[in-house]
């Protein structure tokens, strides 16, 4: 049996540069990962099975379009059928929330199946499968801090800052396609130069304005995070609605989380660290 972590992905910065003819957008983004997220458990079995458990299991439909089963099937198409697998997805990340939950799950499935069948984790064919499953899946497959270009699939590693982070989601799902479609098509320039923290601090998330227009709850999340004691950066991740705040001190992160909890807004909060 293999239990493969599927950590949440953050876009510490996300610069949208152009709309492409294929409907996707040309990006420059700084991907980072945190220590917590979903897990995917793969167990060789007599026949295939798939189940979703955990606090956010209810947010997902059945087998039909789940990225986990699509990843399983795509892996088999490239590397052969292998043995039947019972797969259990333990869903702790909110769905459709800009922190790559589905992409992380798909990537964890690919990693788990690769381990079970002796495929090296850096096999280019694995990254081709990942890119076919979604723009963020290659980054989640590598699972480390990286600059992403193109759709997000052209990856360059960069050293990770090791910082406390608070994730907050106001409980509204946003459609990635709708947020990209509402981008104003103004190129505001490339990622800044420097180390990962410098890029994050001087960077932007160009999807914040269109996401805030579609889901005004994001305004309140960002306002609360930006006002927290000791916060170094408060920003939305991906196409939203999850926002993150970076802190220097764990104590400040805990105070911010307690303040949000006490306000009883029904928001999802996760106290974690950049990995
Ligand atoms: O690649 P993925 O299926 O995750 O993308 C979901 C949607 O987000 C796409 O259909 C597209 O509308 C939008 N998208 C985009 N440009 C990107 C990534 C995603 O326009 N670089």
């Amino acid at each position: 049996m293999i239990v493969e972590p599927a950590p949440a992905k953050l876009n510490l910065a996300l610069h949208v540069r152009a709309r492409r003819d294929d409907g996707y957008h040309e990006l420059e983004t700084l991907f980072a990962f945190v220590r917590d997220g979903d897990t995917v458990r793969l167990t060789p079995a007599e026949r295939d099975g798939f189940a979703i458990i955990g606090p956010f299991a209810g947010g997902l439909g059945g087998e039909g379009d789940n990225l986990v089963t699509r990843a399983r099937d795509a892996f088999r198409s490239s590397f052969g059928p292998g043995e039947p697998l019972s797969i259990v997805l333990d869903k702790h990340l909110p769905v459709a929330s800009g922190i790559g939950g589905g992409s992380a799950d798909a990537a964890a499935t690919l990693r788990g199946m690769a381990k079970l069948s002796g495929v090296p984790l850096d096999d280019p064919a694995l990254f081709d499968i990942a890119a076919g499953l979604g723009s963020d899946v290659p980054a989640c497959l590598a699972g480390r801090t990286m600059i992403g270009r193109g759709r997000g699939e052209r990856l360059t590693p960069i050293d990770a800052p090791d910082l406390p982070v608070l994730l907050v989601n106001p409980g509204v799902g946003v459609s990635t396609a709708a947020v990209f479609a509402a981008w104003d098509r103004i190129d505001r320039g490339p990622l800044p130069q420097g180390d990962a923290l410098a890029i994050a601090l001087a960077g932007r998330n160009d999807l914040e304005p269109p996401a805030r227009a579609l889901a005004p709850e994001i305004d309140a999340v960002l306002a609360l995070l930006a006002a927290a004691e000791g916060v170094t950066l408060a920003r939305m991740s991906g196409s939203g609605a999850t926002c993150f705040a970076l802190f220097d001190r764990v104590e400040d992160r805990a105070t911010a989380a307690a303040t949000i909890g006490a306000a009883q807004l029904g928001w999802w909060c996760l106290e974690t660290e950049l990995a």
Side-chain angles (χ1 to χ4, degrees):
M1 182 181 84
I2 287 198
V3 179
E4 195 60 35
K9 161 230 76 165
L10 295 179
N11 302 88
L12 295 182
L14 198 172
H15 293 205
V16 187
R17 306 298 310 278
R19 180 165 297 173
R20 309 193 324 195
D21 291 340
D22 64 4
Y24 283 90
H25 291 76
E26 202 63 21
L27 306 179
E28 290 178 29
T29 185
L30 175 56
F31 287 114
F33 294 85
V34 300
R35 299 207 186 282
D36 299 280
D38 300 336
T39 60
V40 178
R41 193 171 75 215
L42 303 102
T43 317
E46 275 182 21
R47 70 182 78 87
D48 276 342
F50 177 56
I52 310 175
I53 60 171
F56 284 100
L60 293 173
E63 164 125 11
D65 66 346
N66 192 281
L67 271 169
V68 168
T69 48
R70 284 173 50 203
R72 176 197 67 195
D73 298 344
F75 183 93
R76 286 175 172 163
S77 300
S78 292
F79 293 105
E83 54 197 341
L85 285 176
S86 161
I87 305 181
V88 178
L89 167 61
D90 192 0
K91 193 80 205 149
H92 287 256
L93 300 174
V95 176
S97 76
I99 50 176
S103 305
D105 302 339
T109 305
L110 294 178
R111 276 196 306 271
M113 292 183 78
K115 287 177 185 172
L116 284 171
S117 46
V119 171
L121 290 181
D122 58 358
D123 190 321
L126 217 48
F127 281 85
D128 290 343
I129 299 171
L133 291 167
S135 303
D136 285 346
V137 185
C140 291
L141 184 61
R144 51 157 302 165
T145 310
M146 277 167 309
I147 306 278
R149 294 192 172 83
R151 267 200 299 145
E153 83 288 12
R154 284 180 13 230
L155 299 166
T156 313
I158 180 168
D159 285 340
D162 178 16
L163 289 174
V165 50
L166 180 65
L167 305 187
V168 180
N169 182 285
V172 288
V174 234
S175 151
T176 300
V179 173
F180 270 107
W183 175 60
D184 63 7
R185 302 200 187 197
I186 295 172
D187 175 9
R188 291 173 174 80
L191 285 184
Q193 301 285 323
D195 62 19
L197 188 58
I199 293 172
L201 292 176
R204 318 176 294 270
N205 182 349
D206 289 331
L207 295 181
E208 241 180 58
R212 292 169 85 145
L214 291 168
E217 295 86 345
I218 295 167
D219 292 346
V221 176
L222 284 171
L224 249 169
L225 289 177
E229 180 81 27
V231 69
T232 46
L233 175 67
R235 182 168 289 156
M236 191 184 83
S237 179
S239 55
T242 306
C243 301
F244 65 87
L246 302 182
F247 295 88
D248 283 328
R249 293 166 9 109
V250 172
E251 296 78 7
D252 290 331
R253 181 193 64 192
T255 306
T259 306
I260 289 170
Q264 293 193 313
L265 298 158
W267 294 353
W268 174 83
C269 269
L270 177 66
E271 289 181 75
T272 184
E273 292 84 38
L274 293 178

